Amino acid sequence: MDRREIAALLAYIGRLDPRTIRTDPGEARDQLAQWHELLGDVPMATSHGWDARVTARQHIRVSPYQILPADIARPWESYRRDRLQRHTDPTPSVDPDDQAAWTAELVGTRRAVATGSAQPAQYRQITHRRIDPKLKARLREVGSCIPPEARAALAPYRRARAAREAAIAQGQPDALSVPCKWCKAPVGEPCRRRRIGLNGDARGNTPRATPHPGRVDLAAHRVQQPALS
């Protein structure tokens, strides 16, 4: 704010709180100089949510104490800090080999965000919950993120997953989509070898490469049930 804006702000505050009014010309001049010194880098208002008059009015409305320059400077610093925390630096449009221009554009963008003249640049997936309707079609075109060669090389080390994928590829029901009533494996987890100890309790945590037959039958029944209904 320049001196004229500071004078306008003090006049507005004086209408709301007469205690801030200085009738002596010397005191009024000193008050104007003090506020300008402390709030010279704070804008009167921005197009993105900041207004010094709103901040002053809020303080006068809720606080019994006379307003000070710090009561406007502190909210302004919080406003700047919040905007910078929500900002993600976009890729500059200049030549990346020109380090000076690259840095200058980054600094300029951050300054514009901090001063309220530009909105923070955020990741779209974080700020918007709507998913692109074309995403599923693109995923079907791309297929799995694991190349077939890598999937085949990993098959000996994750036998349960390989057996599940092979069964689904052959049109069989996904046995891991239902829990196993024999080994108590939850949905999505492979079956485990269940042994009965001498005391009659079930034990054993070794995962099986193939699901228990009862789990396969249950998955097939779940698949057939909607068709019958």
Side-chain angles (χ1 to χ4, degrees), residues 96-209:
D97 293 331
D98 190 347
Q99 185 64 38
W102 183 279
T103 303
E105 184 169 338
L106 283 177
V107 172
T109 303
R110 292 181 185 179
R111 183 179 294 111
V113 171
T115 56
S117 58
Q119 284 285 56
Q122 297 174 279
Y123 288 120
R124 184 176 60 182
Q125 187 61 29
I126 296 177
T127 57
H128 297 279
R129 295 185 177 180
R130 177 176 296 178
I131 299 176
D132 188 353
K134 300 179 181 179
L135 179 60
K136 292 183 178 180
R138 291 177 183 175
L139 290 177
R140 284 195 299 267
E141 293 176 0
V142 173
S144 174
C145 59
I146 302 178
E149 298 81 4
R151 187 181 298 277
L154 291 172
Y157 303 99
R158 49 177 194 172
R159 293 178 298 171
R161 181 182 291 272
R164 180 186 189 185
E165 294 173 352
I168 295 175
Q170 295 174 5
Q172 300 177 7
D174 182 10
L176 271 63
S177 63
V178 296
C180 183
K181 296 183 177 180
W182 173 254
C183 66
K184 308 302 181 183
V187 175
E189 294 292 331
C191 288
R192 297 185 177 275
R193 301 185 184 277
R194 186 180 183 188
R195 297 184 179 89
I196 305 299
L198 297 177
N199 58 355
D201 295 335
R203 62 181 182 178
N205 292 321
T206 305
R208 289 169 50 97

Side-chain angles (χ1 to χ4, degrees), residues 15 92 97 133 228:
R15 290 197 300 270
D97 293 331
L228 295 176

Side-chain angles (χ1 to χ4, degrees), residues 41-50 76 79-81 83-84 107-119:
D41 59 343
V42 178
M44 174 68 80
T46 68
S47 56
H48 300 294
W50 166 260
W76 166 249
Y79 173 86
R80 281 169 44 92
R81 187 164 51 251
R83 292 177 64 83
L84 288 176
V107 172
T109 303
R110 292 181 185 179
R111 183 179 294 111
V113 171
T115 56
S117 58
Q119 284 285 56

Side-chain angles (χ1 to χ4, degrees), residues 1-7 9-10 31-45 50 52 69-70 72-74 76-77 80 115:
M1 287 183 280
D2 55 24
R3 295 179 67 88
R4 294 180 58 185
E5 291 175 324
I6 292 292
L9 178 62
L10 286 172
Q31 183 189 43
L32 178 61
Q34 179 196 32
W35 280 64
H36 181 255
E37 177 70 22
L38 296 174
L39 300 179
D41 59 343
V42 178
M44 174 68 80
W50 166 260
I72 296 178
R74 278 196 301 267
W76 166 249
E77 294 300 329
R80 281 169 44 92
T115 56

